[in-house]
Amino acid sequence: MSKRVWHHPEIPAGETTVAWRSAGQLEDTAEFRQWMDREFPQGAAELSDSESDETSRRSFLKLMGASTALAGFGMAACRRPESYIVPYTKAPEWVIPGKATYYASAMPRSGGAVPLVVTTFEGRPTRLSPNNLHPDVDGTDAFTQASVLDLYSPSRSRKVLKSGKASRRAELEAAIAALAADSSAKVGFLFGTDDSPTRNRLAKDLAAKFSAAKFYQYEALVGDSS
């Protein structure tokens, strides 16, 4: 296959321009010069007198108002459903709607606890901060900050489960009552590696009631222990 050769027209002897925007620039016609002198295209500079300007401005505002109204009607169905906050029947003590209430607390962790100041609004915790007044304060880590999100997680269990399937609370209470009536029942309890005096006391009470009870400790972040 032979190479295609393009034959360009020869440039006139007195011509110095080698590239043109259009054929009109090449021919340098009067229409092209008039088009170049105008700042805007044909028709953009019409209605240049003051009365026409006022009419055009008024018409523009009318059109903009109508388009805004139509846009409002179209977007009305895209809003979130409205919900109403029901006031307290009997307001809790020290609770003012919209004003934060602070509590000194501690988050159990492996080998100790993290001293915290919990910020709440109407009983709902929203922020965890280190308790700078505690002698063992050492700030907070990502796990502590993320723990408050567990309260609002949509994947949090909301039903009683039995073998991974939804069950009724009455069945759970009946199973607990049956275990409580049998002191020789083989029951296993799983705890974290954190230490709690209250938990230790309850574990001793359970061990005294259930002779065959087993207690296990597991922490996903530090490894297995039993």
Side-chain angles (χ1 to χ4, degrees):
M1 183 176 180
S2 60
K3 183 178 180 180
R4 181 176 297 180
V5 180
W6 297 96
H7 299 280
H8 297 278
E10 297 182 0
I11 301 176
E15 183 64 47
T16 58
T17 303
V18 296
W20 304 274
R21 295 182 180 179
S22 63
Q25 183 182 11
L26 174 62
E27 298 175 358
D28 197 17
T29 60
E31 291 80 3
F32 176 77
R33 291 185 178 182
Q34 183 180 5
W35 181 83
M36 290 293 294
D37 292 338
R38 295 175 62 92
E39 182 179 1
F40 301 102
Q42 183 73 20
E46 301 297 333
L47 302 176
S48 58
D49 58 310
S50 59
E51 183 178 356
S52 300
D53 288 345
E54 185 66 24
T55 304
S56 178
R57 190 179 300 109
R58 188 181 298 110
S59 302
F60 173 76
L61 293 176
K62 289 181 180 179
L63 292 175
M64 288 299 297
S67 61
T68 304
L70 292 176
F73 284 119
M75 296 296 292
C78 299
R79 295 184 57 185
R80 295 181 179 179
E82 294 184 358
S83 58
Y84 299 93
I85 300 177
V86 181
Y88 287 111
T89 304
K90 184 178 180 181
E93 189 177 7
W94 306 110
V95 173
I96 300 176
K99 186 176 181 180
T101 306
Y102 303 92
Y103 295 92
S105 182
M107 179 179 176
R109 296 294 297 274
S110 177
V114 181
L116 299 172
V117 174
V118 184
T119 304
T120 65
F121 287 89
E122 289 81 48
R124 298 177 178 86
T126 58
R127 182 182 179 185
L128 299 178
S129 305
N131 187 355
N132 296 323
L133 299 179
H134 196 279
D136 295 333
V137 63
D138 193 21
T140 58
D141 54 9
F143 299 102
T144 304
Q145 293 294 331
S147 63
V148 71
L149 301 178
D150 293 338
L151 299 175
Y152 309 101
S153 176
S155 59
R156 184 178 182 180
S157 180
R158 302 180 182 181
K159 300 178 181 179
V160 177
L161 301 179
K162 181 179 181 181
S163 300
K165 298 181 180 180
S167 181
R168 295 182 301 173
R169 186 177 182 86
E171 296 181 3
L172 174 63
E173 294 176 352
I176 294 176
L179 288 175
D182 186 6
S183 59
S184 61
K186 295 182 179 180
V187 186
F189 298 91
L190 179 62
F191 304 111
T193 58
D194 54 282
D195 193 11
S196 170
T198 302
R199 191 197 67 186
N200 295 337
R201 176 177 56 81
L202 294 176
K204 290 181 179 180
D205 295 342
L206 290 172
K209 182 176 180 60
F210 300 99
S211 58
K214 298 292 184 181
F215 299 90
Y216 304 93
Q217 287 185 329
Y218 174 78
E219 189 70 34
L221 300 179
V222 298
D224 299 345
S225 59
S226 58

